[in-house]
Amino acid sequence: MHLDKFIERDCPQLISWISSEEFNYLWGGPVYKYPLTIKQITAHVSKAEVTPLMLRDNELEIGYIELHRESESTYRLCRVLIADESVRGKGYGKVLVNLAIDHAKKAFNATTINLAVFEHNQNAVNCYQSLGFNVIRKEAGLRSFNGDRWNLLYMELNNI
């Protein structure tokens, strides 16, 4: 398995993985409106601070992740996604995050990686904690979906 640069021809594949408005918000927060479009994706990933990547196993697309430059040495993992139910729960999330951390270190000399995750996304929280991320702050109820307030956890991995 390896990470490749996400390119425009990957957009339909990414769109196919976003199955509902709620899942879109869980994955992308307020960045994308549902239904996801190629125009939205290309506008977002063309920003200088965003490095979009695809996890591939040979020619099979397994996942998507973004590295977002916050400073010279700090990068944020954003919009982490494993393809669909057929490949979730098989450890690919850890592979994807580890490869992204390695990419941030080698390509950008990152020393700190952080992320934000909705607290109720327990599978993701568990994955990040198993990789050494620690919760550094909790933002209670500032985000909401269909009237439900969602807590956001900020997590960090230092000295990578």
Side-chain angles (χ1 to χ4, degrees), residues 140-156:
L142 291 181
R143 308 260 189 207
S144 65
F145 183 82
N146 284 344
D148 291 330
R149 297 233 175 255
W150 291 5
N151 296 331
L152 199 55
L153 299 178
Y154 292 89
M155 302 179 82
E156 192 169 85

Side-chain angles (χ1 to χ4, degrees), residues 5-132:
K5 182 164 178 49
F6 178 88
I7 56 177
E8 189 169 342
R9 74 173 166 80
D10 294 321
C11 287
Q13 182 66 61
L14 179 59
I15 290 168
S16 76
W17 296 338
I18 307 301
S19 57
S20 70
E21 185 176 3
E22 182 174 1
F23 189 76
N24 183 73
Y25 194 72
L26 183 67
W27 166 71
V31 170
Y32 292 120
K33 302 295 179 225
Y34 186 81
L36 197 55
T37 63
I38 292 173
K39 184 177 178 180
Q40 287 182 78
I41 296 168
T42 55
H44 175 71
V45 302
S46 68
K47 296 175 184 174
E49 66 274 13
V50 176
T51 301
L53 302 162
M54 285 289 271
L55 176 64
R56 299 184 203 280
D57 187 3
N58 295 315
E59 295 305 309
L60 181 65
E61 289 86 9
I62 301 290
Y64 175 87
I65 196 167
E66 293 173 9
L67 290 170
H68 187 275
R69 186 182 66 242
E70 292 189 335
S71 74
E72 285 284 319
S73 61
T74 301
Y75 281 75
R76 175 169 291 218
L77 300 180
C78 298
R79 281 158 283 291
V80 180
L81 178 63
I82 296 302
D84 56 39
E85 295 301 323
S86 69
V87 292
R88 290 190 191 136
K90 297 183 178 180
Y92 292 121
K94 286 183 182 182
V95 171
L96 176 61
V97 171
N98 275 326
L99 287 172
I101 291 168
D102 193 52
H103 184 78
K105 285 192 309 192
K106 290 178 179 172
F108 307 121
N109 296 312
T111 58
T112 301
I113 301 288
N114 63 42
L115 58 89
V117 60
F118 288 115
E119 185 176 36
H120 70 279
N121 188 353
Q122 202 56 56
N123 287 340
V125 172
N126 291 342
C127 175
Y128 301 137
Q129 287 177 326
S130 75
L131 294 171

